[in-house]
Amino acid sequence: MATASSIAASIASKTKTKKKHFVAQKVKLFRASDPLLSVLMWGVNHSINELSHIQIPIMLMPDDFKAYSKIKVDNHLFNKENMPSHFKFKEYCPLVFRNLRERFGIDDQEFSNSLTRSAPLNSEAQGRSGARFHTSYDKRYVIKTISSEDVAEMHNILKKYHQFIVECHGNTLLPQFLGMYRLTVDGDATYMIVTRNVFSHRLSVYKKYDLKGSTVAREASDKEKQPPQPEDVPPRAKSGNVQQRLQTLRIATRFYCAMKHVRDAKELPTYKDNDFINDGQKIHIDGENKKMFLEKLRKDVEFLAQLKLMDYSLLVGIHDVERAEQEEVESEDNEPEEEGESDGGGIGTPPDSPSNTLDSTKPLSPGEFDPTIDVYAIKSHDGASRKEVYFMAIIDILQHYDAKKKAAHAAKTVKHGAGAEISTVNPEQYSKRFYDFITTILS
C-alpha cells in the first residue's frame, strides 16, 4: 500500500518537470478553435488518467494542499493542427481537488468527459479584470480565467474551504471548486479554475441578477441592457427545383435556430440590486425551501467573514416554465419536416459523444430537474403567480479585505457619505448586510 508521503511525492515533486516526446500513437484528439482550450482538454484528460493510477489516501495530508503536478510537452506531432508544439500544463493540489469532486458527487471520468469530449463553449460574459468564461460542451461546468493573485488566495483558503465542505457534507451555496490549472503556451501563463455551473444544462434562464446587498452604483448600464444586432444573414433561396428550395429552407431554419441560441446568450444582461428592486422581483419559494436556503446562506457567509473575504455576490437565474414550453413549441413548429433524410446530428453535438448523456436516465417534464446535477435549483411554490425555477449560488469569493479594499472603502465613504450602502465594507459588515438583503427578496 502506498504511503501518503509516496503519493505526494509521485504527484507533486517541486523540483522535477516531466518531459514527454510524442510520436505517432492512437490518442484522443482535442479539437478547439483556441489552442489554449486544446491544451486544457489535453491536460485534464492526462491528469484524470494519472490520478486513476494513484490509490486514494485515507486522509489528506498538509503537503497535499501545497502540492502540484507539472508536465512539459515537446514535439506534440500527433495533433499539431489543433495543439501547440510546445506547452506546459500544471495542476494545483490534485489530490485535494479529486477529494472535493468526490464530496460534490462528481465522478472523475464523467468530469473528464465533460471537459474533453468536445471543446468548451465560449461565453460572452466577462468577469472582474476582464476574466473570460467558458462552459463545458454539456454545460455542466464553468471554466474561468483567473489571476495569479487569485491562485495565491485560493491556496490561502483551500484547507479551510475543504474542511468546511467536509463539515457541511457538500451542502452549500458556495462555488464548487473542482480543479485549478496553469497553462503555458509560447511563454505566456494562463490560470484557470473549474467550478460547477450554477445554471442548468437544460432549463434556460431568461433573467439573471448579481446581488450584493448594496445600492450604490448597483444597476446594469444602458449598454449592458442593449442587445447586439446580428450581422450575419441566412442563405437566400435561389431559383431551382423544389428539392433545392427545400434544402435551402432547412439550412435557413437551422441558421435561425443557431443564431437565436447565440443571440439569447448575448442578450441576457446581468442585472443588479437596484434593477431587482425596481423590477419588483421576488423569489417565491415555500417555507421549507426558504428555511433550508437561509440556513445554508447563514453558514456560508459566516465562513466567508471568518476568512476575511468580501465583495462576493448571489447569482440568481430565473427559468420561466411556461415561457420555455411556448418557445419549444414555436421551435418545433418552425422545424421543417424531413422525410428519410438526416444530416447526421444536431448543431454543436460532437460526433464521438453521447447526445443525451445527462438526460438518458429518465425523461423530465417541463420545469423538472435532477437535483444531483442542478444542485442550486429550487422550484417556485404552488401559489406563485408564475411557475418558475430559481438557480441561486454565491460567486466571486476570492476577494480578500486587504489594504487596497480598505482604501476603496474610505474613498467611497467620503464620496457617498457614511450611511451609504457601498459595496466595499469590512467582511463582518458585508456578510450581515448581504444576508439581511437576501432574506428580504424571498417570498
Side-chain angles (χ1 to χ4, degrees), residues 125-148:
Q126 272 207 338
R128 290 183 188 145
S129 306
R132 290 185 295 126
F133 293 86
H134 292 80
T135 58
S136 59
Y137 83 91
D138 57 9
K139 300 182 183 176
R140 287 184 69 170
Y141 305 108
V142 171
I143 304 140
K144 179 185 177 183
T145 60
I146 58 176
S147 66
S148 57

Side-chain angles (χ1 to χ4, degrees), residues 258-420:
M259 284 305 299
K260 181 179 184 303
H261 175 76
V262 171
R263 284 199 302 272
D264 285 349
K266 290 183 179 179
E267 285 177 9
L268 199 61
T270 302
Y271 292 98
K272 298 175 184 175
D273 301 66
N274 288 333
D275 303 306
F276 192 94
I277 294 165
N278 294 335
D279 290 347
Q281 188 66 251
K282 288 286 184 181
I283 304 299
H284 303 282
I285 57 178
D286 63 35
E288 187 61 28
N289 277 321
K290 181 177 179 180
K291 181 182 176 183
M292 289 191 295
F293 177 83
L294 289 177
E295 182 62 17
K296 281 193 283 190
L297 185 69
R298 182 186 62 78
K299 290 179 179 177
D300 290 345
V301 298
E302 285 177 357
F303 170 70
L304 294 175
Q306 288 169 13
L307 294 182
K308 303 296 181 190
L309 298 172
M310 42 82 70
D311 213 22
Y312 43 84
S313 308
L314 186 76
L315 181 63
V316 178
I318 303 173
H319 170 78
D320 186 321
V321 178
E322 291 181 3
R323 176 174 173 162
E325 282 185 275
Q326 183 61 35
E327 287 179 353
E328 188 174 343
V329 169
E330 290 173 2
S331 177
E332 289 173 356
D333 289 345
N334 289 332
E335 183 69 35
E337 292 184 12
E338 297 188 27
E339 295 182 8
E341 287 187 35
S342 172
D343 64 354
I347 294 172
T349 304
D352 61 342
S353 67
S355 59
N356 287 312
T357 309
L358 299 176
D359 302 313
S360 57
T361 50
K362 62 177 181 177
L364 294 170
S365 305
E368 297 293 321
F369 54 86
D370 182 344
T372 64
I373 296 173
D374 294 328
V375 298
Y376 298 111
I378 306 177
K379 288 182 185 178
S380 60
H381 60 67
D382 294 337
S385 57
R386 284 200 303 268
K387 190 176 180 183
E388 295 175 325
V389 179
Y390 308 106
F391 301 93
M392 298 183 287
I394 298 172
I395 61 169
D396 294 337
I397 70 167
L398 295 179
Q399 184 62 60
H400 193 266
Y401 190 64
D402 53 15
K404 191 175 175 183
K405 280 293 176 184
K406 290 176 184 177
H409 169 67
K412 287 185 178 181
T413 301
V414 170
K415 182 178 179 181
H416 300 288

Side-chain angles (χ1 to χ4, degrees), residues 6-20:
S6 67
I7 291 166
S10 66
I11 278 273
S13 168
K14 291 198 172 188
T15 56
K16 294 184 180 178
T17 298
K18 295 187 221 171
K19 269 196 178 183
K20 287 199 175 181

Side-chain angles (χ1 to χ4, degrees), residues 101-327:
R101 291 193 294 270
E102 183 182 353
R103 292 183 183 280
F104 290 131
I106 295 170
D107 176 76
D108 262 11
Q109 198 54 56
E110 290 182 4
F111 177 73
S112 178
N113 288 343
S114 292
L115 293 172
T116 66
R117 280 281 178 91
S118 189
L121 308 171
N122 186 38
S123 169
E124 293 296 317
Q126 272 207 338
R128 290 183 188 145
S129 306
R132 290 185 295 126
F133 293 86
H134 292 80
T135 58
S136 59
Y137 83 91
D138 57 9
K139 300 182 183 176
R140 287 184 69 170
Y141 305 108
V142 171
I143 304 140
K144 179 185 177 183
T145 60
I146 58 176
S147 66
S148 57
E149 290 80 11
D150 290 331
V151 173
E153 187 61 41
M154 191 72 210
H155 276 103
N156 287 339
I157 71 166
L158 188 56
K159 193 168 186 180
K160 289 181 179 177
Y161 171 83
H162 178 269
Q163 182 182 346
F164 181 78
I165 298 305
V166 171
E167 290 172 356
C168 73
H169 307 288
N171 191 19
T172 177
L173 301 172
L174 295 178
Q176 293 191 2
F177 294 119
L178 307 173
M180 186 165 67
Y181 312 100
R182 187 189 73 189
L183 288 60
T184 306
V185 178
D186 296 328
D188 291 330
T190 301
Y191 302 91
M192 293 184 171
I193 196 160
V194 180
T195 57
R196 190 193 287 270
N197 195 353
V198 175
F199 299 153
S200 174
H201 68 281
R202 59 177 291 274
L203 300 181
S204 58
V205 166
Y206 87 96
K207 200 153 195 180
K208 64 176 178 176
Y209 294 91
D210 179 292
L211 305 176
K212 292 180 183 286
S214 167
T215 55
V216 173
R218 291 293 297 160
E219 55 273 317
S221 67
D222 291 338
K223 184 179 178 181
E224 288 172 321
K225 295 175 184 177
Q226 287 297 320
Q229 297 301 314
E231 298 175 1
D232 303 274
V233 293
R236 297 182 64 183
K238 298 179 180 178
S239 58
N241 60 32
V242 174
Q243 281 298 111
Q244 288 174 327
R245 288 201 295 272
L246 279 172
Q247 182 62 18
T248 303
L249 178 62
R250 293 187 189 106
I251 294 170
T253 302
R254 291 194 187 102
F255 174 88
Y256 276 120
C257 289
M259 284 305 299
K260 181 179 184 303
H261 175 76
V262 171
R263 284 199 302 272
D264 285 349
K266 290 183 179 179
E267 285 177 9
L268 199 61
T270 302
Y271 292 98
K272 298 175 184 175
D273 301 66
N274 288 333
D275 303 306
F276 192 94
I277 294 165
N278 294 335
D279 290 347
Q281 188 66 251
K282 288 286 184 181
I283 304 299
H284 303 282
I285 57 178
D286 63 35
E288 187 61 28
N289 277 321
K290 181 177 179 180
K291 181 182 176 183
M292 289 191 295
F293 177 83
L294 289 177
E295 182 62 17
K296 281 193 283 190
L297 185 69
R298 182 186 62 78
K299 290 179 179 177
D300 290 345
V301 298
E302 285 177 357
F303 170 70
L304 294 175
Q306 288 169 13
L307 294 182
K308 303 296 181 190
L309 298 172
M310 42 82 70
D311 213 22
Y312 43 84
S313 308
L314 186 76
L315 181 63
V316 178
I318 303 173
H319 170 78
D320 186 321
V321 178
E322 291 181 3
R323 176 174 173 162
E325 282 185 275
Q326 183 61 35
E327 287 179 353

